[in-house]
């Protein structure tokens, strides 16, 4: 065992560093231990001696040594001092590699570089948004986008101001696990007026996104339960059910929606559908098929229908289609809605209307959960709805999207490569059947090379042969692109398909 020698330590302190002096000392000594410059059993200089050498207070060195002791790099021996601990060789090799990646120019090791593991994660793109991972597109016809510049920011500010003016100390208390009463009442009134949903506020659960609500539902129903899903469908929901280990039965569609004959052949107890505007096909389920679907649910004791009403606010021809829940005589429809499309994705507020018979199971199995949406966020949204701002915002956005919808249809009209158009007059995207010898993948790749991002129907299938057509089918969203960008983007897309 060698006596602590200041010559064994190479420490350069930077007074202007963002790191406290004690942490700089800690980092240097830890690095030397991991690099093998300080060997197991080796004694460190006393705190008094090192403080004098570095011209810092003794308490600063005490803090550094205390941190090293707490993390197991150094141990104290009564009346003897501080000694380097024994460590596994493999750990030292790994630690040395990480310390080296932080070392930089040999001075302060924490100021230069990120942890190599963090760099690997960053390179893999796991901490990036979709827009950061992909190359920048001049024209992105995403079917999931919404128009942010036209968001009613002034109205949102007023809602925030009104919420703060109340000086409600209860906002900082846990609140109701279902969600705040006044917001659930506002949602209840809105759903009844706009969608014909029949419910009481006590049946509404507010959550941070439909993904969370589906996970919550899985615990209420105690799966695994077979789920019938339209094909093609909303793949995020499909992946959630798959992650839960629930059997998923793809059910083909005709022009009226999910085929009931195939649904009956399956072993499903749940049917996940989007009857008012099916994604991605845009199909609107007629009343006859709706009644047949409800009859299927009523025939089985534990059968339910999940109605995902994700974008019902946006319809440009005729009156809005009433919800399936509103005509359900069996109390078997679980209704899902969200503000992500109608306001903005970052709002992250969704809601689920449970049948009365499932509310008892919710309180028994999940009633102890806390709400996943901040009460402050809930109250801002309440004031946004209660003050009439939400209705005015929807009217504004309907006009914006209607104009873009019409421009897109006008640009597609007369194009020789357009074989057919489906799903128009509602939602935020249309489907275009393409007359070409190219495959869907080739079209997407060649469009990408020209700075255009388009989406193929094949991306949303959960079984083979999701379309009746042999031609490629593209999804063209218009909510996230301006009228000018629509015109320019379609013109460039025509160069790919000419």
């Amino acid at each position: 065992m060698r006596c602590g020698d200041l010559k064994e330590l190479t420490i350069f302190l930077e007074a202007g560093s963002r790191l406290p002096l004690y942490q700089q000392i800690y980092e240097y000594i830890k690095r030397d231990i991991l690099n093998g410059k300080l060997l197991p059993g080796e004694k460190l200089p006393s705190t008094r001696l090192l403080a004098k050498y570095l011209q810092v207070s003794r308490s600063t060195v005490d803090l550094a040594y205390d941190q090293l002791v707490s993390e197991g790099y150094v141990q104290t021996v009564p009346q003897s001092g501080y000694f380097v601990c024994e460590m596994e060789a493999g750990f030292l090799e790994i630690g040395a590699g990480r310390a080296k990646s932080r070392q930089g120019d040999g001075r302060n090791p924490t100021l230069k570089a990120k942890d190599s593991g963090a760099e690997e994660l960053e390179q893999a793109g796991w901490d990036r948004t979709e827009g950061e991972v992909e190359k920048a597109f001049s024209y992105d016809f995403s079917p999931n986008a919404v128009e942010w510049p036209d968001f009613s920011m002034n109205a949102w500010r007023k809602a925030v101001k009104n919420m703060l003016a109340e000086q409600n100390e209860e906002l900082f208390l846990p609140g109701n696990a279902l969600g705040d009463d006044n917001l659930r009442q506002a949602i209840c009134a809105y759903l009844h007026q706009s969608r014909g949903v029949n419910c009481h506020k006590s049946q509404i659960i507010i959550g941070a996104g439909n993904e969370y609500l589906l996970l919550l539902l899985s615990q209420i129903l105690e799966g695994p339960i077979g789920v019938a899903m339209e094909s093609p469908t909303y793949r995020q929901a499909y992946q959630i059910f798959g992650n839960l280990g629930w059997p998923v039965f793809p059910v083909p569609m005709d022009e009226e929606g999910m085929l009931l004959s195939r649904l009956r052949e399956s072993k499903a107890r749940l049917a996940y559908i989007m009857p008012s505007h099916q994604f991605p096909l845009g199909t609107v389920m007629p009343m006859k098929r709706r009644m047949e679907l409800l009859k299927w649910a009523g025939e089985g004791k534990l059968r339910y229908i999940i109605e995902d009403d994700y974008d019902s606010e946006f319809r440009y021809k005729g009156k809005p289609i009433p919800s399936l829940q509103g005509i359900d005589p069996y109390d078997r429809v679980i209704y899902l809605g969200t503000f992500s499309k109608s306001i903005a994705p970052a709002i992250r507020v969704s809601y689920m209307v449970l049948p009365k018979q499932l509310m008892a199971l919710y309180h028994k199995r999940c009633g102890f959960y806390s709400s996943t949406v901040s009460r402050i966020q809930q109250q801002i949204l309440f004031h946004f709805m209660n003050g009439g701002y939400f209705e005015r915002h929807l009217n504004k956005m309907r006009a914006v999207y209607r104009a873009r919808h019409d421009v897109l249809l006008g640009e597609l009209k007369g194009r020789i490569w357009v074989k057919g158009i489906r799903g128009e007059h509602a939602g935020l995207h249309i489907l275009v059947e393409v007359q070409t010898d190219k495959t869907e993948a080739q079209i997407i790749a060649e469009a990408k090379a020209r700075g255009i991002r388009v989406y193929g129907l094949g991306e949303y299938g959960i079984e083979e042969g999701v379309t009746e057509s042999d031609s490629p089918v593209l999804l063209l969203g218009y909510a996230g692109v301006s009228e000018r960008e629509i015109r320019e983007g379609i013109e460039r897309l025509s160069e790919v398909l000419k």
Side-chain angles (χ1 to χ4, degrees), residues 115-185:
D115 185 276
S116 60
E119 290 178 345
E120 291 172 5
L121 292 175
E122 194 170 276
Q123 290 172 4
W126 291 344
D127 65 338
R128 303 176 192 170
T129 63
E130 183 179 356
E132 292 173 322
V133 174
E134 298 288 347
K135 61 168 287 188
F137 288 87
S138 301
Y139 312 94
D140 188 349
F141 290 92
S142 171
N144 299 312
V146 296
E147 180 54 36
W148 171 247
D150 283 309
F151 177 71
S152 305
M153 184 59 76
N154 288 335
W156 192 258
R157 289 194 188 98
K158 290 178 182 177
V160 174
K161 184 177 179 181
N162 292 340
M163 183 273 297
L164 293 174
E166 287 187 342
Q167 296 183 341
N168 186 0
E169 292 83 1
E170 291 185 0
L171 284 178
F172 298 95
L173 298 177
N176 194 326
L178 295 169
D180 282 3
D181 285 358
N182 55 4
L183 177 57
R184 287 185 293 123
Q185 182 58 54

Side-chain angles (χ1 to χ4, degrees), residues 214-227:
L214 287 175
L215 292 172
L216 185 67
L217 181 62
S218 72
Q219 297 187 45
I220 296 171
L221 296 176
E222 281 194 329
I225 296 174
V227 184

Side-chain angles (χ1 to χ4, degrees), residues 143-337:
N144 299 312
V146 296
E147 180 54 36
W148 171 247
D150 283 309
F151 177 71
S152 305
M153 184 59 76
N154 288 335
W156 192 258
R157 289 194 188 98
K158 290 178 182 177
V160 174
K161 184 177 179 181
N162 292 340
M163 183 273 297
L164 293 174
E166 287 187 342
Q167 296 183 341
N168 186 0
E169 292 83 1
E170 291 185 0
L171 284 178
F172 298 95
L173 298 177
N176 194 326
L178 295 169
D180 282 3
D181 285 358
N182 55 4
L183 177 57
R184 287 185 293 123
Q185 182 58 54
I187 292 173
C188 186
Y190 166 71
L191 290 178
H192 183 71
Q193 180 269 329
S194 66
R195 305 294 300 120
V197 171
N198 296 316
C199 69
H200 186 267
K201 69 176 181 179
S202 62
Q203 296 173 251
I204 297 176
I205 303 173
I206 295 172
N210 282 9
E211 299 90 348
Y212 165 76
L213 292 175
L214 287 175
L215 292 172
L216 185 67
L217 181 62
S218 72
Q219 297 187 45
I220 296 171
L221 296 176
E222 281 194 329
I225 296 174
V227 184
M229 298 191 75
E230 301 158 318
S231 183
T233 192
Y234 177 49
R235 287 197 64 89
Q236 207 156 339
Y238 170 71
Q239 290 172 329
I240 289 171
F241 292 129
N243 289 345
L244 290 170
W246 289 21
V248 176
F249 302 98
V251 178
M253 299 177 62
D254 61 14
E255 66 278 2
E256 295 186 347
M258 179 180 280
L259 286 171
L260 265 295
S261 59
R262 294 290 295 274
L263 172 61
R264 292 184 180 280
E265 292 172 4
S266 74
K267 298 179 181 179
R269 277 176 43 202
L270 279 177
Y272 180 96
I273 62 169
M274 294 162 275
S276 296
H277 186 241
Q278 200 272 344
F279 184 88
L281 295 181
T283 304
V284 176
M285 186 179 289
M287 186 58 67
K288 183 175 182 296
R289 184 63 57 85
R290 293 177 182 229
M291 297 306 296
E292 291 172 346
L293 193 59
L294 289 170
K295 183 180 179 183
W296 168 85
E299 290 172 350
K301 184 178 180 181
L302 298 175
R303 287 180 182 173
Y304 293 97
I305 297 168
I306 300 175
E307 179 181 13
D308 188 344
D309 205 17
Y310 69 101
D311 72 349
S312 59
E313 290 87 358
F314 303 113
R315 187 167 180 80
Y316 317 115
K317 184 178 180 180
K319 295 182 179 180
I321 307 300
S323 69
L324 186 67
Q325 193 271 359
I327 59 170
D328 174 20
Y330 308 105
D331 197 29
R332 296 296 179 85
V333 175
I334 300 162
Y335 182 91
L336 289 178

